[in-house]
Amino acid sequence: MRHVIIIGSGPAGYTAAIYAARANLEPLVIASSVEYGGELMKTTDVENFPGFPEGIMGPDLMTRMQQQAERFGAEIVYDDVVSLELDGPVKAVTLGNGDRHEAHAVIYATGSAYRKLGLPDEERLSGYGVSWCATCDGAFFRQKTVAVIGGGDSAMEEATFLTRFADKVYVIHRSESFRASAAMIDRARADEKIEFVMNSRVEHIYGAELVTGIGIVDTVTGDERTLDLQGVFVAIGADPRTHLVHGVLELTEQGTIAVDGRSSRTSVAGVFAAGDVVDPTYKQAITAAGSGTVAALDAQHYLETVHDASRTAAVASA
Amino acid sequence: MSTRDVTDATFEAEVLKNEKTIMVDFWAEWCGPCRAVSPILDAIASEHPDKIEIVKLNVDHNPETAMKYQITSIPAMKIFRGGEVVKTVIGAKPKPALEADLAEFLA
């Protein structure tokens, strides 16, 4: 039986692992089989993580966090959680390979999953021009025309990144103003390959075998038009990944896992949550890392209490 | 067992003229999901040596083949039989999900 199992390997999961490992809790980290390292694995330069004045590549940052956790004794398993038993004093986690692990406490840091546009041809053309990862797929659009759908930081980053390859990059956003930070917007605005298409909603993705264009509607005038292009990069945000804990942990109205005040304590004793899965607002690597720290410290405190209680019970029954 | 590489130069002989069922993993160094799925493909290949052969093609070094098969997203895994693509799987997936996608070729 473990002290604590950490589910997730983004900044929240690995930071929780660093703290838990340094507290001699020998954490087991379930890192995922193909999405380990989390969202930062799909980014390039991270320029706002403190301590890296020259910036650092997202995958490098995550490898460093992983190594830092391992240095203090965290054990990392590259598999996916398929089911959880969180009620009661002993928590159990079952993995894709069938292994079952038990622990007194669980830190849940599964992050969030990309939102889809919800268009009929999106799934069919996914991988044939529709993409959720500019850093993975951008290079296949050399001298092509592409569109980034979205108005947040990730949309700006993807658009700027795609100008390395594409001749033209549309940024299509459904409202008049961006959620993205000023620095990211300014950089995109300064790029002559980028054209902003505001107040516009994507209605269709066209293409028999590969994407050939999109149909957009002006949300103010209702006018429809078609843009001929070969790539569609969807960056309209992400939803907290809570499917494993539906009906088990209390959720907020925004769909994140509910926690008690500024702590990481969920509605189930011994289960703590951290990172984007509890954060409907900030969703930054550094806030996720901070939240991972909170979860590790809360878990540590909980384990001390459980340990004291079981010792008292043992003395009482002796 | 680690999967071996094929190139633009060897593609015809090793893949198109291969008599066995062969899967080509189109990948690149800079693609995180490709690196993640690579050991899973190695495992599937070594667990089913008589059913399927799995090879890798680096799209940066072999643009001709990548272009011919209209790769726009990696990892892209294409299964060839008798020189024809009979199945395409796109994106890194956990081992059970990949095995389900490939079930007809592994049985």
Side-chain angles (χ1 to χ4, degrees), chain B residues 1-106:
Chain B
M1 186 178 74
S2 187
T3 51
R4 72 203 155 80
D5 292 304
V6 295
T7 66
D8 281 346
T10 64
F11 196 80
E12 185 166 357
E14 296 213 40
V15 177
L16 300 181
K17 297 201 169 150
N18 199 317
E19 287 176 0
K20 287 206 283 181
T21 301
I22 183 162
M23 177 158 103
V24 183
D25 169 27
F26 293 82
W27 73 288
E29 296 276 354
W30 39 262
C31 162
C34 297
R35 284 198 296 266
V37 83
S38 182
I40 295 174
L41 295 178
D42 289 349
I44 292 175
S46 64
E47 286 163 22
H48 305 274
D50 48 336
K51 297 288 181 192
I52 194 165
E53 189 177 345
I54 302 184
V55 296
K56 299 161 76 76
L57 182 122
N58 182 313
V59 296
D60 281 339
H61 302 157
N62 304 284
E64 207 177 287
T65 308
M67 201 171 291
K68 182 179 170 198
Y69 290 97
Q70 299 190 312
I71 304 296
T72 61
S73 184
I74 51 172
M77 293 151 273
K78 288 185 182 285
I79 298 184
F80 290 80
R81 258 184 189 168
E84 298 290 326
V85 177
V86 292
K87 172 109 185 169
T88 300
V89 178
I90 289 183
K93 299 181 182 191
K95 190 161 179 259
L98 263 182
E99 284 170 337
D101 284 345
L102 303 177
E104 56 184 304
F105 305 101
L106 304 180

Side-chain angles (χ1 to χ4, degrees), chain A residues 33-36 41-42 59 79-80 96-97 126-131 133 135-142 209-210 230, chain B residues 27-28 30-33 35-37 39-40 59-60 66 70-75 78 88-90 92-96:
Chain A
S33 62
V34 292
E35 293 185 276
Y36 56 82
M41 298 299 282
K42 295 178 178 172
D79 205 334
D80 308 283
N97 66 4
S126 178
Y128 300 92
V130 177
S131 172
C133 179
T135 56
C136 304
D137 303 335
F140 299 109
F141 295 88
R142 280 199 175 84
E209 286 181 9
L210 294 171
Q230 294 78 43
Chain B
W27 73 288
W30 39 262
C31 162
R35 284 198 296 266
V37 83
I40 295 174
V59 296
D60 281 339
Q70 299 190 312
I71 304 296
T72 61
S73 184
I74 51 172
K78 288 185 182 285
T88 300
V89 178
I90 289 183
K93 299 181 182 191
K95 190 161 179 259

Side-chain angles (χ1 to χ4, degrees), chain A residues 85-316:
Chain A
E85 296 153 53
L86 298 178
D87 291 332
V90 175
K91 324 292 182 191
V93 175
T94 305
L95 305 184
N97 66 4
D99 284 359
R100 190 170 184 275
H101 297 277
E102 292 185 342
H104 295 291
V106 165
I107 294 175
Y108 198 78
T110 50
S112 50
Y114 293 122
R115 215 170 273 163
K116 296 186 174 181
L117 291 166
L119 299 175
D121 292 306
E122 182 179 12
E123 198 68 39
R124 180 176 63 83
L125 291 167
S126 178
Y128 300 92
V130 177
S131 172
W132 280 265
C133 179
T135 56
C136 304
D137 303 335
F140 299 109
F141 295 88
R142 280 199 175 84
Q143 293 160 1
K144 303 264 165 81
T145 300
V146 301
V148 175
I149 320 297
D153 272 346
S154 58
M156 296 305 138
E157 192 201 345
E158 297 217 336
T160 304
F161 178 79
L162 287 166
T163 60
R164 295 189 197 181
F165 310 104
D167 280 348
K168 179 160 189 76
V169 180
Y170 292 106
V171 174
I172 295 165
H173 186 44
R174 59 193 312 162
S175 77
E176 205 160 42
S177 57
F178 289 117
R179 295 185 311 276
S181 62
M184 304 286 274
I185 296 169
D186 289 348
R187 189 175 302 173
R189 281 227 167 93
D191 200 312
E192 56 189 24
K193 283 186 175 177
I194 297 178
E195 180 182 332
F196 290 101
V197 181
M198 309 300 285
N199 293 318
S200 293
R201 187 175 68 232
V202 181
E203 290 279 281
H204 298 284
I205 303 174
Y206 301 113
E209 286 181 9
L210 294 171
V211 169
T212 55
I214 56 174
I216 59 172
V217 175
D218 188 305
T219 55
V220 180
T221 64
D223 290 347
E224 294 182 32
R225 63 175 168 138
T226 303
L227 299 176
D228 292 333
L229 44 76
Q230 294 78 43
V232 180
F233 291 82
V234 184
I236 53 172
D239 292 313
R241 222 178 250 148
T242 54
H243 61 280
L244 287 170
V245 296
H246 278 177
V248 180
L249 300 181
E250 230 168 79
L251 304 182
T252 66
E253 275 176 22
Q254 292 101 330
T256 53
I257 293 176
V259 290
D260 182 12
R262 296 174 63 232
S263 83
S264 65
R265 292 188 298 271
T266 68
S267 56
V268 173
V271 180
F272 306 88
D276 284 4
V277 81
V278 299
D279 179 3
T281 317
Y282 305 108
K283 301 180 180 178
Q284 301 299 302
I286 189 69
T287 51
S291 142
T293 304
V294 169
L297 295 175
D298 285 345
Q300 187 185 348
H301 178 75
Y302 170 81
L303 291 166
E304 283 163 4
T305 315
V306 170
H307 188 69
D308 286 349
S310 63
R311 201 159 39 188
T312 311
V315 171

